[in-house]
Amino acid sequence: MRLTTALEDYRYATLDLSPRTRQWYEEKLRTFQAWAEASGTLDIEDVTPAHVRRYLAYLRENPSPRTGQPRSSYTVRGHAQVIKGFLSWCAREDLISERIAKRVDLPRVEQKVIETFSPDHLKRLFSAAAKEMTPALIARDRAILSVLLDTGVRASELCGLTLDNTHLSPDDAYLKVYGKGRKEREVGLGVNARTTLHRYLNRHRDAPAAQRHVFLTRYHQLMTVNGLDQLLYRLADWAGVEGVRCSAHTFRHTYAVSYLAAGGDLYKLSRLLGHTSVSTTEHYLRSFSQRDARKGLSVLDSLGS
């Protein structure tokens, strides 16, 4: 069978996945297909573990056309995971031997200290929201910052949040969000976040009754993940935040590391973040431990003057 035909059939087999997951698969499979065809691999039967290894080497050696930057080890591993999943499906469909997929090894990822915002970064970002054009946009930006920092939700989860799933009261407040794999979970809001969000919703959010999403653009349209990225980049520029990427994911990192630093339970954090495995959450624990170790005793300072 032609590789293009197998990939097309696989796209239909993944229709039950979330749109964002399908897009993630599609981007990586499209890149793999273009590389395979350019290298003369046209039939699915011709794909071997050696082909996959050469493809991963190609990814490491060539920058991303979207960013112009070298691909991270996480990105390369993500490509390997998608291809391995595709080949496993091909094996179940009797298109190739099941040994092919099993022999595709997932590359290791570099263990890096997770970037987080400092208290000064956060203060400047909240202050920068005052530079927006209208009081409504100022209130919206501060509500977005508050929710991201207080819950650690993903960008797609924040953009997909609806009024029906936003529960605010003086005694309790929580959001119902839908994460990867359409899994539902509830995340709580502290006093400051619920106050900021309540102020935005009741005083400043102006939209048609049919528009049920919480966070909207200045044109009262649904805010997309790309739109959220642009908003955060703008605030970072106004705030003069440097040395850390201003993104929803960095807020997620900051939330997780701060939660652990305050003595929070790792397993509860895993549920709050919507992780399917606590091993994913342990990555934050490693970052917290490394940061805590940085604050160890200075031998030179202990000597005194």
Side-chain angles (χ1 to χ4, degrees), residues 24 28 52 55-56 59-60 73-87 101 104-107:
W24 192 72
K28 290 169 175 55
V52 177
Y55 172 64
L56 298 180
L59 294 177
R60 294 188 189 96
S73 58
Y74 287 95
T75 298
V76 175
R77 183 182 175 90
H79 279 262
Q81 288 175 317
V82 170
I83 295 170
K84 188 178 180 73
F86 165 62
L87 294 177
V104 172
D105 297 322
L106 299 181

Side-chain angles (χ1 to χ4, degrees), residues 284-295:
Y284 294 102
L285 180 61
R286 287 193 294 271
S287 178
F288 165 67
S289 299
Q290 289 171 340
R291 190 182 72 167
D292 195 50
R294 286 204 310 268
K295 299 178 182 179

Side-chain angles (χ1 to χ4, degrees), residues 115-128:
E115 288 187 333
T116 59
F117 292 117
S118 69
D120 181 61
H121 288 149
L122 296 171
K123 289 179 183 177
R124 283 193 277 165
L125 286 170
F126 275 94
S127 296

Side-chain angles (χ1 to χ4, degrees), residues 30-45:
R30 192 185 304 119
T31 304
F32 174 66
Q33 179 181 350
W35 174 87
E37 291 177 348
S39 63
T41 306
L42 302 179
D43 296 328
I44 185 61
E45 294 86 353

